[in-house]
Amino acid sequence: MFIGYVVVAALLALASAGSAFLTFTRNPQVVGSMAKVGVPDSWLPRLATAKAAGALGLLAGLVVAPLGIAATVGLVLYFAGAVIAHLRVKDYAVAPVVVLTLLAVAALVLRMASA
């Protein structure tokens, strides 16, 4: 189970860190997607920080199980909130966010099973 967690956590950490970087640098595609669902521009640094913290927490969770569990719970909530935000405004292009949500759920289940 732990090897599975390592693989899934590494993928999710890479995706979260990349998304955080794109949000910090205000990539037009990311900013446009967030604006479409009504996210204020002033929230972007906080949301990017949350994703970056989740990525770091996943990697630290390889050594400290409770930290890994906390990071995955945070990312599950973050990405589930993103899915809800998209569906709320009837934006059904949610495949990337759904994949990240499922990846975060998988990381949580694997980390809890291997703790």
Side-chain angles (χ1 to χ4, degrees), residues 1-3 5 61-70 72 107-115:
M1 289 291 184
F2 184 73
I3 293 172
Y5 171 71
L62 296 173
V63 179
V64 182
L67 191 53
I69 292 169
T72 54
L108 177 60
V109 169
L110 289 169
R111 189 57 182 134
M112 289 177 63
S114 65

Side-chain angles (χ1 to χ4, degrees), residues 4 35 87 98:
L87 295 177
V98 169

